[in-house]
Amino acid sequence: LFFIFFLLAKPNRKLTFLYLANDVIQNSKRKGPEFTKDFAPVIVEAFKHVSSESDESCKKHLGRVLSIWEERSVYENDVLEQLRQALYGDRKVRKRTYEQIKVDENNCSPRSSPTDPPQTTDLIRALQELENAASGDAAVHQRIASLPLEVQDVSLLDRITDKESGEQLSKMVDDACMLLADYNGRLAAEIDDRKQLTRMLSDFLRCQKEFLAEKEHKLEEYKRKLARVSQVRKELRSRIQNLPDLSRLPNVTGSHVHLPFAGDIYSDD
């Protein structure tokens, strides 16, 4: 039934359906594996369908959902591999264990090599993208805050007295469910973006510390050189002051002594 509604949905709503499936799958995994298993046969086809007719931005969101399922071991490796194939095709995707991912998250281990820090432009772009993140969407916050109590409290279902009011409430619940599922998906994507930014900043900070240590070492080296040169200059000035000024020595006639130039000494004359 999910897949039928999924196929009939508009293209811009299909990602929302997958966010909804993600919410159901993860919540059901805590209580029991039934929904997770039920979704497994169709979720791969859903991934194939969306990735085949979507742009790179949509695939990026799907990749985040997949990374969450990998990190939390929502599905077995064979299903995860099918999802990777559906999303990335034959492109080889490096697999990491859950423990490796948790170590990366806890330690903010840099993914870049020490000689390849993130560029400043990449950091600025990542920060600018977070300006429009889900957590700052005031309009959606207002819509969620304005949801009627009837869609949030099961005990209020007793107020339904006829089929018309029941169908009306059902539509409201469906809309609320889609709204929250879509927003939860956006929040999950934002969390992933912030983790990536944290790793980039960690890389950038580490490299800046290395550059700083290198420049501080250079500064100390040049300070020592400046001190040595300054000492030489001081000693040289002192010696020059104590040397006689031969150009001003008087001769017996009272005139100044003519000091020959090198050319005078070696002249044939």
Side-chain angles (χ1 to χ4, degrees), residues 246-251 253-259:
L246 299 180
S247 65
R248 296 185 177 276
L249 289 177
N251 61 13
T253 62
S255 62
H256 289 87
V257 176
H258 173 70
L259 295 178

Side-chain angles (χ1 to χ4, degrees), residues 11-78:
N12 60 346
R13 299 284 283 178
K14 289 180 179 179
L15 185 60
T16 302
F17 267 95
L18 284 175
Y19 284 153
L20 176 60
N22 170 57
D23 192 60
V24 172
I25 289 169
Q26 293 203 59
N27 283 315
S28 66
K29 190 175 185 298
R30 302 188 188 100
K31 303 174 183 178
E34 292 80 12
F35 280 104
T36 305
K37 291 181 179 179
D38 290 341
F39 269 102
V42 298
I43 205 69
V44 175
E45 293 302 320
F47 261 63
K48 288 180 181 178
H49 184 77
V50 173
S51 60
S52 66
E53 64 173 26
S54 302
D55 55 18
E56 288 302 319
S57 176
C58 185
K59 290 181 180 179
K60 182 180 179 182
H61 290 302
L62 280 181
R64 288 165 178 158
V65 173
L66 178 55
S67 67
I68 292 172
W69 290 353
E70 289 175 329
E71 292 173 14
R72 301 180 182 178
S73 300
V74 173
Y75 282 112
E76 299 295 331
N77 287 334
D78 59 334

